[in-house]
Amino acid sequence: MGLVLLLVTFLVVFGIVVFILLFGESPSLRNGIVGKINRWLTHSAPRGLSWILLKTLGKSNLDKMAKGWAYCCESRNPFLQTFFILLSASAISGYLYYALPHMPGPFLNEIHYVIIPIQIITLYVVYYVACTANPGHITKDNLQKHLDYYPYDGLIFKPKTCNTCNLQKPARSKHCPMCKVCVGRLDHHCSWLNQCVGENNQRYFFYFLFTLVEFCAYGAYLCFQVYRGMILEWGIDRAFVRDKVTGEQVPITFRKAFLYVLHRDRIIGAIGILATVVSLVVSIFLIYQLYLASLGITTNEAFKWELVEDSIDRGELFKMIPIKDKSKQQAKSPKTLSRRNLAASKVKEGYEEVLIKSFDEVKNIYDKGVIGNLKEVFIPPRFD
C-alpha cells in the first residue's frame, strides 16, 4: 500500500500546485492564500534558489542553468510530449504484461481483445492530430479576414499592433511568446501539445481530452474487473477472517479481499489508480473548458473578464451613454468635466459618463449562445 499511497499523494500535490500556478493570479484568488502561495512559487522561491545557486555554483554555472531553464520552461520543447508518451506506453505495457494473462476471465470476455487495440490506436492518433494541427496563426494573408470576423469590443480588446509580428492584432487574438506568433482566438498555450490551442485546433484539443478521459476510465474499469476475477481465481471470496470484536470467524468482505489482491499485485493496482486519477482530473478540466466555450469565452479571455469584474467591484469602470435631456447636455459641456474625465475617459460631447454597478450591465459581444459558441469551436470559420 506504500507505493500506491505515494502515487496518489504525488498526483494530488501535483494537481494542487498546477492549480495554484494557473489560477493564483486571478483577481478572485490573488488576495487569498492561493495568491500568496502563487507569489511565493513564482517570485520568492525562484529568487531564493537563484541566490543559493549563485553562492554555491558560481555565476557561469548559474548562467548555464538559466539557459537550460529558458529552453525547458520558456520555449517550445517536446519534454511533456515525451513524458506523456512514455508514461502512457509504460502503463499500457504494464497492463498487457501483467493483466492480459488474466483475460478472458469471469468479468471480462474476448471482446476486449478487439476493444483494447482500438483504444490504444485512437488515443495516439488523436494526440498526434492535436499536436500537429495549425492552431490558427495570424499572417498577412489572413489578417483582414480575422479583422472582419472578430470586431473589437472596446473593453477587453482594442486595436493595437503586435510589436513582434508587426501586424495589427485582431480581437480575441494573442501573441504567444513561446510559439513566437499571434494566434487567432487564442485559448492558451498547452505544453502537453507543445503548441497553442486556438481557433483552428481547439476542437482537436477537446477530442484529445475526451479520448484521454474515456481511455483512462476504460483502463481503470479493466483493472478493477481483473482484480475481481483474481479474487475468484484465488478463492479469496470463500475465505474467512477473525472478527476483532467477537473473535468469531466471519466471511471476508469484498473490500478486504480487494485490498489483499492489491497488496499482492501492486502493478495492476498502481495502473488502475493512475488511470482513475487522470480520468477524474482531466474530466474536470474538460468540463471547465466546455463551460467556457459554451459561454463564448476562451481561457485567455476568462482572466480578462475577471479583471473587468474586479474593476466594477472597485467602482472604476464607466460607460458613455447619449444625453437625452438637451438642457443637461448643455450643462455637461467639456469645461465642466473633471480632470479625471478629461485625462482618462475622454467623454465626447453629447455623452455622459455613467458608473457600471453590476457585471450584468457588461455585454460579451462574442457570445453567440450555447449552440453558436460550440459550433464556432467544433466547426470553426475558415480564414485561408
Side-chain angles (χ1 to χ4, degrees), residues 102 105-107 224-234:
H102 298 278
F107 305 102
F224 178 75
Q225 298 295 29
V226 166
Y227 266 17
R228 288 183 66 194
M230 293 171 70
I231 291 175
L232 297 182
E233 291 176 12
W234 296 353

Side-chain angles (χ1 to χ4, degrees), residues 235-306:
I236 304 176
D237 60 314
R238 300 186 299 273
F240 287 82
V241 294
R242 185 179 299 278
D243 190 286
K244 294 182 179 180
V245 178
T246 64
E248 299 179 355
Q249 296 286 340
V250 295
I252 190 171
T253 62
F254 176 79
R255 174 180 170 275
K256 291 184 177 180
F258 192 87
L259 291 176
Y260 175 81
V261 175
L262 179 62
H263 180 74
R264 295 292 299 273
D265 196 323
R266 298 180 180 181
I267 300 299
I268 299 177
I271 295 172
I273 293 173
L274 175 64
T276 301
V277 173
V278 172
S279 180
L280 290 174
V281 172
V282 177
S283 63
I284 293 172
F285 179 69
L286 173 60
I287 292 172
Y288 173 71
Q289 287 287 306
L290 284 172
Y291 169 73
L292 290 181
S294 68
L295 296 178
I297 300 175
T298 64
T299 303
N300 174 54
E301 293 166 0
F303 286 101
K304 292 179 179 289
W305 283 116
E306 283 192 8

Side-chain angles (χ1 to χ4, degrees), residues 76 129-147 150 162 165 167-190 193-204 380-384:
R76 294 183 64 185
V129 172
C131 290
T132 57
N134 186 338
H137 296 160
I138 305 294
T139 64
K140 293 181 179 179
D141 297 330
N142 61 27
L143 174 60
Q144 189 58 49
K145 293 181 179 179
H146 280 87
L147 293 173
Y150 297 113
C162 176
C165 300
L167 295 173
Q168 183 175 349
K169 294 178 64 175
R172 312 196 76 182
S173 69
K174 190 179 189 308
H175 181 85
C176 176
M178 299 187 73
C179 296
K180 297 176 174 58
V181 66
C182 288
V183 178
R185 192 162 53 77
L186 176 79
D187 190 88
H188 67 286
H189 180 90
C190 180
L193 303 184
N194 196 23
Q195 68 167 346
C196 289
V197 175
E199 62 190 6
N200 192 54
N201 70 338
Q202 191 176 17
R203 49 184 166 163
Y204 302 125
R382 299 182 62 88
F383 298 103
D384 50 10

Side-chain angles (χ1 to χ4, degrees), residues 52-72:
I52 295 174
L53 293 176
L54 179 63
K55 296 298 182 181
T56 55
L57 300 179
K59 188 175 186 305
S60 59
N61 291 326
L62 183 61
D63 291 339
K64 293 178 182 178
M65 294 183 64
K67 292 180 180 179
W69 173 268
Y71 173 75
C72 296

Side-chain angles (χ1 to χ4, degrees), residues 301-338:
E301 293 166 0
F303 286 101
K304 292 179 179 289
W305 283 116
E306 283 192 8
L307 293 174
V308 171
E309 188 172 9
D310 188 51
S311 298
I312 295 174
D313 293 338
R314 294 199 306 265
E316 298 176 352
L317 193 63
F318 295 78
K319 62 181 177 180
M320 290 188 296
I321 62 174
I323 301 176
K324 297 180 180 180
D325 188 348
K326 293 184 178 181
S327 61
K328 184 179 179 181
Q329 180 173 339
Q330 293 176 353
K332 197 73 172 181
S333 62
K335 295 182 180 180
T336 62
L337 294 176
S338 65

